[in-house]
Structure formats: structure tokens, C-alpha cells
Amino acid sequence: KYELDSLVAHIVLSNAYWNATKDTTPFQNAIWQRAIYRVIETINTQQKASWEDLPPAYFFQRQGTEPIDTLLHGVGVPSNHTGMSKSPFRPSDDAGTLPFPIGANAMAASALRTLAPLFAPTGPANNATTYANINTLAEQITQGIQTYGVINHPTFGKMYAYEVDGFGNAYCMDDANLPSLLSLPYLGWCAKDDPIYLNTRKFVLSNNNPYYFSGSAGAGVGGPHVGLGWIWPMSIIMQAQTSSDDTEIKACLDMLLKSSAGTGFMHESFWLTNVGQYTRPWFAWANSQFGHLILTLAQEKPYLIFK
């Protein structure tokens, strides 16, 4: 299952290592550089419209009981040229409804901009052609998001769609799995107080989002992966991570503590009326995100977690 965010995660990790260490060794390695070239090539290939991509470069089809576990005719629904890059599958491993996920493309544009200096003449990888290609690709994706990914919602005004197809169709929802619309500031796409993001955030954390659930056990975003009624702690973690409001962050922390059901771990999801009914007793992704949240708060808002 091809997901754009999986390729971009490699770039994000590379950027994080460089920023933390300034160690040039990995970036002068030919294997790492070839991997980056292949990533860029793949993202470029998936920018093609359906009618430009015949026969398709990517094909995935298998039998199953869930429609989100395979692609229509092995390729998914048609796409137009937007500048964005297609991702047939979502971060949840579920098939997308429309070909261009805004969250994954925002993650790609942000990561590419951070990657580019590594290939600049003064950077450790020092390749002028790659440097130019990366910057061009980041700009194309950015323009695609701004042109096709921003919609006028009848209740929330200008906001980001979850997925689009380039033909004028947009799907309004959000999913707990990252990258999500809720996580856009975390991805480096925009500021927490960006007006379009704030409108999007209001939508995501409301009943207008078909995968937002609220019950006696908590409230948060879920997704098609496990179905209706299941709240994912990862969405609550990201709600806290992208909030500037101490009261909201504290409420999220209290909900997360409650959601662990005394196990000491974050779970994949819990039932909206019963934290003791959960999926995946061990979910490393959510546990890692929770650890990142706590480390962030320890630096930025220590008074919220230290007594």
C-alpha cells in the first residue's frame, strides 16, 4: 500500500537528525542520496493526472471484505493535474476517497523545504540540480494545496478539505492518523493561529466532521479504520499539541490519562462511552506521540505537567 506520508517520513527523520546534530556524514553517503532521488522521482510521478499516467505507475488490487482495503480498478478514482502528489492510501492504510490528501501533501511540502538546504552549494549533499528540483516540487505542491485544497464551507468558511481530486470535488472530514488536518501546524505547514487552519480546526473538532465522536468517556477524532464510535487518543494528543489554550491542553491531558484505563499506555482507540473497551493494548505510534507531547510541554508549558 503506497502512502505519500511514508516516503516523506524518511525526509522528516533526515531533517530532524541534521537539525539536532549537524553531522554531515549521512548526507554525503551515496545510498542516502540515491534514496532521496528515488523519493523525489516517486512524488513527481504521482503528480500526473490519470490521463497522463496510462498505464498507471502504481497498481494495487486485492480481494477483501472492506472497500477501503483495495483500490477501484486497482488505481482509485480519476485525478486531474493539481501540482500535488497522489497518495492512493491514507496514513491509516485505508484507501483514500479522493486521490490528493491535503495533510500528506502539506507534510511533503514542509519537509521538502527543510530538506532543500542540505543540497544547496553550502550544504553537505551539495547538488545544485537536486536543490532546484526540491524547491520546485515544494512550490508546486504548495500551490496545489492553496488552489484546490482550500474550500468555502457553508458553516466554517474558508477551510482545508481532507482530500480533493482536481476536478472540483472535495471530501470534508478528518482522520486521527497523522498527517491529518488537525496536525497542520505540527507538520510545519502553518501557524497555530492561521485563520484557515482555525476554521478547519473548528470543523474537525465538531459533529460536522463525520469521524468526530463524543461520549461519556471522552471526545475526539476517529476514522474509517475501526469505524464509528471509536475515539483515537492520537487525535487528542494532536489536539493538545496544536493548541495554545492551557485549559484545552489540560482537558486533553486529563482525557488521555483516563483513556489509558489504568494500563499505563495509549491505545489505538477507545469506545466513546467506555475507556475499558479499547483496540490495541500496545500501539507504539500513539505512545510515541504522547511522549513527544510531554517533552514539548516540559519545554514550553512545564507548569501544566509539573507540580
Side-chain angles (χ1 to χ4, degrees):
K1 291 183 174 181
Y2 170 64
E3 302 172 13
L4 172 59
D5 60 281
S6 296
L7 287 189
V8 176
H10 164 63
I11 299 176
V12 171
L13 180 61
S14 297
N15 293 338
Y17 180 83
W18 168 248
N19 290 332
T21 68
K22 300 305 178 186
D23 176 16
T24 63
T25 308
F27 311 110
Q28 294 167 338
N29 182 282
I31 296 175
W32 179 84
Q33 292 185 14
R34 285 199 301 272
I36 291 295
Y37 302 152
R38 184 58 60 88
V39 167
I40 301 304
E41 179 184 30
T42 303
I43 295 175
N44 275 323
T45 298
Q46 292 303 314
Q47 287 181 297
K48 294 179 180 178
S50 298
W51 46 269
E52 297 174 312
D53 189 26
L54 296 173
Y58 178 78
F59 183 94
F60 182 97
Q61 190 175 48
R62 69 185 182 190
Q63 291 185 337
T65 57
E66 297 288 348
I68 56 176
D69 203 31
T70 191
L71 300 175
L72 179 67
H73 303 303
V75 294
V77 300
S79 63
N80 203 357
H81 186 80
T82 66
M84 289 183 283
S85 188
K86 297 191 292 284
S87 184
F89 288 93
R90 295 172 177 167
S92 59
D93 295 334
D94 301 329
T97 299
L98 297 177
F100 300 108
I102 301 306
N105 274 277
M107 179 183 180
S110 301
L112 288 166
R113 283 204 177 86
T114 309
L115 175 71
L118 294 176
F119 286 90
T122 56
N126 186 12
N127 187 309
T129 301
T130 303
Y131 174 68
N133 289 341
I134 291 172
N135 280 315
T136 298
L137 182 55
E139 183 57 29
Q140 289 171 344
I141 294 173
T142 298
Q143 288 298 319
I145 293 173
Q146 293 171 343
T147 302
Y148 296 93
V150 179
I151 63 164
N152 276 305
H153 190 278
T155 302
F156 298 94
K158 274 194 171 183
M159 57 169 265
Y160 292 105
Y162 185 72
E163 291 166 343
V164 299
D165 63 359
F167 293 110
N169 298 304
Y171 188 25
C172 294
M173 60 161 279
D174 201 19
D175 189 298
N177 289 266
L178 308 179
S180 61
L181 296 180
L182 188 60
S183 69
L184 289 175
Y186 174 80
L187 302 174
W189 170 256
C190 62
K192 292 179 182 180
D193 61 354
D194 177 83
I196 297 177
Y197 171 72
L198 289 177
N199 289 345
T200 308
R201 182 184 179 88
K202 290 174 186 175
F203 162 81
V204 169
L205 300 175
S206 78
N207 290 328
N208 289 273
N209 174 10
Y211 291 102
Y212 178 81
F213 310 115
S214 178
S216 58
V221 181
H225 195 69
V226 294
L228 301 178
W230 294 94
I231 299 167
W232 289 51
M234 189 149 53
S235 76
I236 303 170
I237 292 167
M238 193 47 56
Q239 181 180 349
Q241 190 88 51
T242 55
S243 176
S244 300
D245 184 288
D246 288 357
T247 301
E248 181 182 19
I249 295 171
K250 184 65 168 61
C252 289
L253 291 172
D254 291 343
M255 207 177 336
L256 289 167
L257 179 61
K258 180 182 175 183
S259 79
S260 70
T263 65
F265 295 112
M266 295 293 103
H267 303 129
E268 178 189 47
S269 68
F270 62 91
W271 187 243
L272 75 170
T273 59
N274 182 6
V275 294
Q277 188 178 349
Y278 53 81
T279 60
R280 293 198 193 184
W282 169 256
F283 191 38
W285 192 0
N287 283 309
S288 299
Q289 287 294 150
F290 180 71
H292 191 191
L293 171 63
I294 295 303
L295 290 173
T296 301
L297 292 176
Q299 286 187 319
E300 299 178 1
K301 295 178 179 286
Y303 53 87
L304 289 179
I305 57 174
F306 296 125
K307 303 296 184 182

